[in-house]
Amino acid sequence: MAPLNSSKPDELQVLVEEKLSARRLTLNRPKQLNALSFQMISQLLDLFIAYEEDSNVKLVILKGNGRAFCAGGDVSAVVRDIGAGNWRLGANFFRKEFILNYIMATYRKPQVSILHGIVMGGGAGVSIHGRFRVATENSVFAMPETALGLFPDVGASYYLSRLPGFFGEYVGLTGTRLDGAEMLACGLATHFVPSKRLSLLEEALCKVDSSDPTIISAVIDEYSQQPYMKEQSAYHRLNVIDRCFSRRTVEEIISSLEKETLNKKDDWISATLQSLKGASPTSLKISLRSIRQGRLQGVGQCLVREYRMVCHVMQGKISRDFFEGCRAILLDKDKNPKWEPSKLEFVSDRMVDSYFSKVDDEGWEDLKFPARSNLHVYAIAKL
């Protein structure tokens, strides 16, 4: 694989189609499940900025080629660059990605993301911030970062903290997978359209000569339906989730889940505990604090804070769990990471605090966003 900052010009990693006043962008790395390369992020950022200023463009449709919408950022490329001794290259990847997330969150024109297939990590970042998110029966959403030694980033502390009750804490800490019906129920998706109707929906959207969200929503409504929620869905467990995941610390969350199982055996709780106990203890603690802070912050503040956090992760001074997680899950694939610190009680509040502080490195700067103007009320509400 080529390093982050190089790419073959003949590889069309984002396909661009002009359809009257709509622009259809297709993420085009199907073999890599459309994992976002630095080149893709840069191209999407340039396109979104250009389309916002172009009065001929009224709507942007974003989709993926193959069986995934987007499985996340191409972190293995980031890890390789850091391994070559340059964590700043990795930081630059996230800086550009977070700026793209911010532009999408505050976009003046409607973005319709077709979330067919896998939507994970960075894939959620380039879609969930947009105005319309269309799930299907094949959608699979997850923020699996705690199992990788990372934390739900790309503005996830903003949108996870705004899910019903403490469902966002549950999704962010366990990395659990949600289907299209669950995505619609909790608000990650705005619509559910059966996959066999997607091509008709796209055709109709390409003919809409309007940026009016109510008109676009009405068009999507024509192809939408109310999906069936599986009986074993975690969404039916909101009472238990709220009871346990509202606790102040990760230790208290785990202990309250364990108490729930004293009376009766519960496979769902056992699976939840297994996820939590397999994740990086450091990641769990910084993720919980991040989501809790996100409840009180606008999307820009969340991204600025997450950028600080991700730079500390890349630098690897406090913990090297991210490199160990990538080794165990993505590179060697032995699925047996050796976390350090190995237990929750060894991760002190002071260690957690340091992830939220400015990075002490020559020339390092906090994340800065391009100036935004004439924002929609919908976007202003997120700030």
Side-chain angles (χ1 to χ4, degrees):
M1 239 176 182
L4 266 185
N5 49 6
S6 76
S7 58
K8 297 180 198 155
D10 56 341
E11 283 177 17
L12 292 171
Q13 297 188 6
V14 179
L15 305 177
V16 181
E17 296 168 273
E18 297 190 4
K19 302 278 185 180
L20 303 173
S21 62
R23 296 294 176 270
R24 183 161 58 190
L25 308 179
T26 306
L27 306 177
N28 188 39
R29 293 178 81 200
K31 284 185 183 146
Q32 293 85 5
L33 302 178
N34 300 321
L36 296 168
S37 64
F38 188 71
Q39 178 190 327
M40 287 164 92
I41 289 166
S42 304
Q43 192 181 348
L44 287 170
L45 184 58
D46 290 345
L47 289 167
F48 268 80
I49 290 171
Y51 292 158
E52 196 167 46
E53 298 310 320
D54 185 346
S55 57
N56 296 317
V57 178
K58 294 184 179 168
L59 167 71
V60 181
I61 300 165
L62 188 63
K63 58 184 286 195
N65 184 7
R67 64 191 184 92
F69 168 73
C70 171
D74 190 353
V75 287
S76 49
V78 174
V79 171
R80 257 199 319 280
D81 280 328
I82 299 168
N86 194 349
W87 75 271
R88 298 294 282 266
L89 260 183
N92 194 36
F93 175 94
F94 284 98
R95 186 182 61 81
K96 202 150 224 185
E97 184 180 25
F98 288 11
I99 289 170
L100 174 64
N101 300 150
Y102 181 75
I103 296 284
M104 288 176 164
T106 57
Y107 210 56
R108 294 202 299 265
K109 295 176 182 180
Q111 172 187 343
V112 179
S113 303
I114 311 285
L115 304 180
H116 186 53
I118 298 164
V119 187
M120 291 186 185
V126 293
S127 56
I128 305 298
H129 292 296
R131 188 70 186 256
F132 299 106
R133 290 97 55 191
V134 179
T136 75
E137 74 282 2
N138 294 321
S139 298
V140 181
F141 173 93
M143 296 301 289
E145 286 82 1
T146 58
L148 266 181
L150 195 55
F151 61 92
D153 59 335
V154 295
S157 62
Y158 178 82
Y159 60 76
L160 289 179
S161 65
R162 280 153 181 80
L163 299 187
F166 292 85
F167 197 64
E169 276 88 341
Y170 161 67
V171 169
L173 294 182
T174 62
T176 194
R177 296 181 170 204
L178 304 178
D179 64 19
E182 292 166 320
M183 289 172 72
L184 182 72
C186 74
L188 287 166
T190 57
H191 296 78
F192 181 97
V193 174
S195 57
K196 61 176 188 288
R197 308 194 73 186
L198 283 180
S199 55
L200 293 170
L201 167 64
E202 285 182 45
E203 211 175 294
L205 286 170
C206 288
K207 289 177 185 156
V208 178
D209 188 24
S210 173
S211 277
D212 184 338
T214 46
I215 292 174
I216 286 152
S217 191
V219 170
I220 307 174
D221 284 342
E222 282 177 47
Y223 298 89
S224 298
Q225 65 181 49
Q226 195 54 43
Y228 166 75
M229 179 97 74
K230 291 185 188 125
E231 228 167 285
Q232 67 272 35
S233 166
Y235 206 68
H236 296 311
R237 308 290 193 114
L238 280 180
N239 287 345
V240 184
I241 287 172
D242 286 352
R243 225 178 6 255
C244 299
F245 283 85
S246 58
R247 301 304 172 104
R248 197 179 58 82
T249 65
V250 178
E251 290 92 334
E252 286 169 28
I253 289 171
I254 288 174
S255 125
S256 59
L257 282 163
E258 286 169 341
K259 278 186 195 131
E260 294 279 339
T261 57
L262 292 176
N263 310 328
K264 62 178 196 309
K265 186 178 178 298
D266 184 319
D267 292 342
W268 175 79
I269 291 182
S270 307
T272 302
L273 283 166
Q274 198 180 342
S275 300
L276 291 169
K277 289 176 177 176
S280 152
T282 304
S283 290
L284 289 174
K285 288 204 169 183
I286 64 173
S287 299
L288 181 62
R289 178 163 323 167
S290 178
I291 294 167
R292 292 279 155 87
Q293 287 195 5
R295 286 174 174 265
L296 306 169
Q297 293 178 322
V299 69
Q301 290 169 298
C302 286
L303 285 162
V304 168
R305 172 177 44 70
E306 290 175 14
Y307 180 67
R308 283 185 180 187
M309 293 169 70
V310 89
C311 285
H312 282 294
V313 169
M314 300 291 111
Q315 215 181 9
K317 282 185 182 170
I318 312 163
S319 160
R320 295 192 59 80
D321 278 2
F322 175 56
F323 308 100
E324 175 58 14
C326 288
R327 179 205 66 72
I329 310 289
L330 303 174
L331 304 173
D332 299 347
K333 300 187 179 173
D334 59 30
K335 299 197 169 142
N336 187 23
K338 301 277 184 281
W339 304 125
E340 189 55 51
S342 58
K343 291 190 165 76
L344 285 165
E345 58 262 36
F346 301 152
V347 184
S348 68
D349 286 348
R350 191 134 137 237
M351 285 172 73
V352 175
D353 290 343
S354 42
Y355 279 93
F356 293 77
S357 64
K358 287 193 170 191
V359 177
D360 183 17
D361 195 83
E362 198 185 336
W364 183 88
E365 286 184 350
D366 265 328
L367 185 63
K368 291 186 177 66
F369 300 116
R372 311 288 288 135
S373 59
N374 307 326
L375 294 182
H376 210 278
V377 176
Y378 164 80
I380 293 168
K382 297 180 180 180
L383 301 175

